[in-house]
Amino acid sequence: MERTYSVCCGVDVGKSSHHFAAIIPATGELVFDGKVEQSESGIRDALLSVSLFGSPVVVVDQPGNMAALLFAVCDDMGIAKGFITPRAMSKAIEMYGGDIKTDAHDALVIAEVSSSLPKLVKPVGEKSALYLRLSALMSYDRELTLESTRATNRLHDLLLSVSPALEAHLEGKRVQSNFSLMVLSRYGGPAGLKKAGRGNVRRWLRSRKGMGEAALRRLDDLFEAIGRQSVTIAGSEYVEELIKQEASFLLTVLASRKKVAESRDELLSQMPEARLLMSLPGLGAVTCATFLAEVGDISRFPNASKLASYAGLAPKVRQSGKTIHSVTKPRGGNRRLKRVLVLSAGKSVQFCEESRAYYERKRSEGHSYGSCMMALARRRLNVMYAMLRDGTAYEKQNG
């Protein structure tokens, strides 16, 4: 952060309370040091006390949900805010006494770093209501994705314990189909299906919305799979009740993901930046939404190189004198953003002639697949930056 402030206030954020430590850079004097309740009144009172010593900047090490109220109060009071990256914070803690780990010590370290090394303090990007809603949606979707994966794995384990043939028939994500989950949530496993009988299950399926002839054919395959096992495994009755519960739960999670996707697409339709980005081949709604949620206002990055560094796509160069010792893959950056950009680069090879030509050229130079994808993701990120900076959609290059 370029501007200098009269007071640097380091805040170690917490779920129920924060610890504030405020230092005057000119003298190094500690003018405030205390625990502050995670409430508007508590935060406001603390900031008013800090402001008595001059114009402050509030700096945290976790600019996430726990700091949301703190940032909102700062905005309301016209107080600048910033954050220190986890890597810089880790180095600072080592320098200021790595054996000590308390809220008060961490807050003091943040204040000391903000005071002595202001260049390490990154500005907190301002986001519009649309960006904030999109960010919340994508965060929720990530949790739902993890939960659906866990539930799917649990369901496979339960099916395997009562009928390996049925589990194999519903391998992978086939078990996530609406047909599979509806049948499992109602009948459980082999015993429940056999007890109900194929005819009753067929009649029940016909009464369900969206279950046509294709579903009935799948039902025949399902009964064929469970028919390969004539013995009943001990304890299967109890397990089949668990299968019903797990299938019902997974149905609910997947339905929630569908609603989140609908809300995400509605938000993207209201954002001009999304329309620009999605004109780039191989860049879909998930990548676009993740990019906008993680990056926010593109103007906070002065150039594409800064954005690439933030995304973890800038190679690390080790150089001494005139000799370059090594150029290695970046290890830091925003991992979520990096992941979707690399995946998007992989898809673009299938749809974009320019991406395919660039990938093939890199491969012919002897680079590995992973290195090629990283390089292509960086190249596409440069294009995305230019598109947002200039407000222009993607245009295929001739020649």
Side-chain angles (χ1 to χ4, degrees), residues 327-339:
V327 179
T328 58
K329 292 181 181 179
R331 300 296 180 187
N334 187 312
R335 294 183 183 276
R336 286 193 293 268
L337 182 57
K338 180 180 179 179
R339 179 177 180 275

Side-chain angles (χ1 to χ4, degrees), residues 129-138 260-275 289 292:
L130 286 177
Y131 279 103
L132 290 172
R133 287 173 60 191
L134 187 61
S135 181
L137 271 177
M138 297 310 293
V260 168
E262 292 171 354
S263 300
R264 176 203 66 209
D265 293 343
E266 182 183 352
L267 281 177
L268 291 178
S269 69
Q270 302 174 43
M271 303 175 75
E273 305 95 320
R275 291 192 289 272
L292 293 175

Side-chain angles (χ1 to χ4, degrees), residues 148-287:
S148 67
T149 300
R150 296 189 191 103
T152 299
N153 291 337
R154 291 193 297 266
L155 190 53
H156 274 297
D157 286 341
L158 291 170
L159 289 170
L160 186 62
S161 67
V162 295
S163 175
L166 179 58
E167 191 276 333
H169 178 70
L170 299 176
E171 64 177 348
K173 290 191 175 182
R174 287 189 68 184
V175 76
Q176 290 186 0
S177 70
N178 199 41
F179 162 81
S180 301
L181 293 176
M182 287 183 66
V183 170
L184 293 176
S185 64
R186 182 173 176 85
Y187 299 103
L193 286 165
K194 290 177 181 178
K195 183 178 180 180
R198 186 181 309 203
N200 287 331
V201 179
R202 284 176 68 89
R203 282 189 288 274
W204 175 77
L205 272 178
R206 285 184 181 276
S207 67
R208 301 296 95 186
K209 184 178 179 180
M211 294 295 161
E213 292 302 319
L216 297 179
R217 288 193 294 272
R218 293 185 65 183
L219 179 63
D220 291 336
D221 294 337
L222 199 67
F223 268 89
E224 181 184 348
I226 64 175
R228 297 174 196 152
Q229 179 178 313
S230 59
V231 299
T232 301
I233 298 175
S236 60
E237 182 179 351
Y238 170 72
V239 174
E240 291 203 13
E241 288 299 318
L242 296 179
I243 289 174
K244 291 180 182 180
Q245 296 177 32
E246 202 63 57
S248 297
F249 174 71
L250 186 51
L251 266 175
T252 303
V253 172
L254 294 177
S256 296
R257 284 204 69 196
K258 184 177 180 181
K259 290 182 179 179
V260 168
E262 292 171 354
S263 300
R264 176 203 66 209
D265 293 343
E266 182 183 352
L267 281 177
L268 291 178
S269 69
Q270 302 174 43
M271 303 175 75
E273 305 95 320
R275 291 192 289 272
L276 293 177
L277 290 174
M278 292 178 69
S279 66
L280 187 63
L283 196 147
V286 174
T287 302

